[in-house]
Amino acid sequence: MKAVASTFDRTLTSLENALIVATFASITLLAFANVVSRYALHASLSWSNELVVGLAVYLIMIGTSAAIRINAHPAFTVLQDVARPILRKIVVIAIAAAMFTFLAIFLWLGWDMVTSQLDRGRSTPALGLPQWLLSLALPLGAVLSMIRVVQMAVTAIRHNEQSSSQLLPGG
């Protein structure tokens, strides 16, 4: 079971990292191309702004999951670090439950927005892309983050003698 969890974690980490790099590179190239076009050709690539904003939402949502993975999310680490093991477990569970609840609400609202846009056939103004493709970043990021919250909590509970800031890579 531990090997499966480790393989899943490595695969998800690789996917997150690849998506973050690809999205950031795309945003950078599109923004640069738009600036060059504006100054060299005196014509803006109006559609690029729409795509940059959509990609930025994906970057933020996937980055949120990565931040939880490396324990870079806001948390009450002072209380966790000074607490005795049993209290530390309670604090970790409370933080994980609060984060999970927030993300579940975010998932529900994001999915509601995606299905509403899909049902109405909404498209983006400049590119004519289905709007739900860009909005899908919200529920996708929420699901990835929920997985990471569960991993964070399980890891913290299993390693109750360590400080929570030492539990996950990068923490």
Side-chain angles (χ1 to χ4, degrees):
M1 182 67 177
K2 212 176 212 185
V4 171
S6 179
T7 301
F8 176 74
D9 180 54
R10 279 194 312 272
T11 303
L12 187 56
T13 298
S14 296
L15 179 65
E16 282 173 348
N17 291 342
L19 288 172
I20 288 169
V21 167
T23 305
F24 186 72
S26 298
I27 289 170
T28 303
L29 291 173
L30 281 168
F32 180 73
N34 193 24
V35 168
V36 169
S37 174
R38 236 185 274 144
Y39 288 103
L41 306 174
H42 302 289
S44 178
L45 304 174
S46 60
W47 56 268
S48 69
N49 289 333
E50 186 175 277
L51 198 52
V52 165
V53 169
L55 289 172
V57 174
Y58 271 96
L59 181 63
I60 290 166
M61 295 308 300
I62 296 167
T64 300
S65 175
I68 294 170
R69 171 178 36 98
I70 62 172
N71 212 18
H73 59 88
F76 305 105
T77 58
V78 172
L79 186 56
Q80 286 177 269
D81 292 344
V82 298
R84 299 208 184 277
I86 190 70
L87 182 58
R88 187 175 300 132
K89 284 183 181 183
I90 293 169
V91 170
V92 165
I93 290 169
I95 290 169
M99 290 174 69
F100 196 88
T101 301
F102 170 79
L103 291 165
I105 293 168
F106 199 81
L107 170 64
W108 176 60
L109 293 173
W111 186 251
D112 185 51
M113 183 168 61
V114 167
T115 56
S116 173
Q117 291 170 344
L118 186 61
D119 290 343
R120 292 185 179 142
R122 290 192 55 187
S123 60
T124 61
L127 289 171
L129 291 172
Q131 182 67 46
W132 66 268
L133 284 176
L134 300 179
S135 299
L136 192 61
L138 303 176
L140 175 67
V143 168
L144 291 173
S145 295
M146 290 167 82
I147 291 168
R148 294 303 189 178
V149 166
V150 170
Q151 286 179 325
M152 175 199 66
V154 168
T155 302
I157 290 168
R158 284 189 179 157
H159 298 90
N160 62 2
E161 296 302 315
Q162 293 178 324
S163 162
S164 63
S165 62
Q166 299 169 339
L167 295 177
L168 297 173

